[in-house]
Amino acid sequence: MLYVVPTPVGNMEDITLRALRILKEVSLILAEDTRTSSVLLKHFDIHTPLRSHHKFNEHETSDAMAQLAISQDIALISDAGTPGISDPGFMLVRACVEKGVEVQCLPGATAFVPALVDSGLPNDRFFFEGFLPQKKGRQTRLQQLSQLDHTFIIYESPFRLQKTLEQLAEVAGKERRASVSREISKVHEDTQRGTLEELIEHFKQQPAKGEIVIIVEGKNE
């Protein structure tokens, strides 16, 4: 069996008891970065063998790991959050499904859900974009997102936050409401809410640090 196991996006206490049990019981853990995951496993006294499975090798290793899962229980984790959500995971899950290997994805941490709820924007319907293209197709994608009639979600680097907010204001209008959440579930967790214009001014004065989730209201909201 393949277990897809979410890991904390910030506070170590966010991991579930079931996740800890699975990580102790499986024969092998596939990790996005074994150095990062070693810290987590050491914290919880887990000694299961680790092997790398990341975006640079998943094309080559997914089939072999799915073959391994026919005879062993293995777990897939990412550096933080749920594997497959803007992280490696899809290819391995698909390979397991094709080989008839049972897949179980545990419920658990993911960054955009608390950011969405905390934004105060409508969340009965929403669109998850994840990371935008950095260059080719970026402006076109922003134009498309700005026309959505429901809330949408973007993951962003703190180094590109200001540029992204300014680009959003250009295509969606400076008065479009949004929120920016950073360092979710960590000591310095923070959410700023307002119009895109207000958020641009705020982060000019106080540049952001840490992982960023941008929530933007839909066109007709």
Side-chain angles (χ1 to χ4, degrees):
M1 182 181 291
L2 171 68
Y3 292 98
V4 181
V5 181
T7 53
V9 297
N11 194 313
M12 288 285 196
E13 293 179 359
D14 290 341
I15 199 164
T16 67
L17 294 175
R18 183 183 175 201
L20 292 175
R21 177 179 60 79
I22 294 296
L23 293 178
K24 290 177 180 178
E25 291 178 352
V26 294
S27 301
L28 177 68
I29 297 172
L30 303 179
E32 184 179 5
D33 187 327
T34 55
R35 295 166 299 181
T36 301
S37 297
S38 292
V39 175
L40 174 76
L41 300 186
K42 183 177 180 180
H43 181 82
F44 289 108
D45 196 28
I46 297 171
H47 305 284
T48 307
L50 275 173
R51 186 179 299 182
S52 293
H53 183 82
H54 47 70
K55 65 180 181 180
F56 301 109
N57 72 0
E58 62 178 339
H59 291 81
E60 292 76 28
T61 62
S62 289
D63 191 67
M65 292 301 99
Q67 186 69 35
L68 185 64
I70 293 175
S71 58
Q72 301 180 40
D73 288 340
I74 63 176
L76 172 67
I77 60 177
S78 63
D79 290 349
T82 301
I85 305 298
S86 292
D87 277 322
F90 161 69
M91 291 184 182
L92 177 58
V93 170
R94 180 175 64 181
C96 285
V97 170
E98 290 174 349
K99 292 182 182 299
V101 175
E102 186 174 353
V103 178
Q104 285 191 9
C105 181
L106 279 61
T110 190
F112 78 80
V113 173
L116 174 63
V117 174
D118 202 30
S119 72
L121 296 172
N123 55 29
D124 54 329
R125 295 173 63 230
F126 59 88
F127 181 86
F128 176 72
E129 173 67 13
F131 288 100
L132 291 162
Q134 290 190 29
K135 294 181 180 179
K136 186 177 179 180
R138 183 182 179 90
Q139 197 64 28
T140 299
R141 192 66 191 131
L142 284 165
Q143 289 280 2
Q144 293 170 338
L145 290 169
S146 72
Q147 298 304 307
L148 293 175
D149 62 1
H150 46 272
T151 303
F152 60 91
I153 303 161
I154 295 171
Y155 282 173
E156 193 51 280
S157 156
F159 308 108
R160 290 191 297 268
L161 174 62
Q162 193 69 19
K163 176 183 177 181
T164 300
L165 291 174
E166 291 171 355
Q167 290 175 325
L168 282 167
E170 289 174 7
V171 298
K174 294 181 179 180
E175 296 305 309
R176 186 79 69 95
R177 292 183 301 159
S179 75
V180 175
S181 295
R182 64 179 187 86
E183 297 287 75
I184 290 171
S185 191
K186 297 179 182 177
V187 174
H188 300 293
E189 179 177 350
D190 177 67
T191 295
Q192 296 295 322
R193 308 170 186 84
T195 64
L196 287 169
E197 183 176 32
E198 290 168 341
L199 290 170
I200 289 167
E201 289 304 312
H202 173 81
F203 289 107
K204 278 183 182 177
Q205 303 299 321
Q206 300 181 43
K209 296 180 180 180
E211 299 298 319
I212 302 290
V213 184
I214 305 171
I215 313 291
V216 186
E217 74 174 342
K219 185 176 181 180
N220 300 320
E221 289 173 0

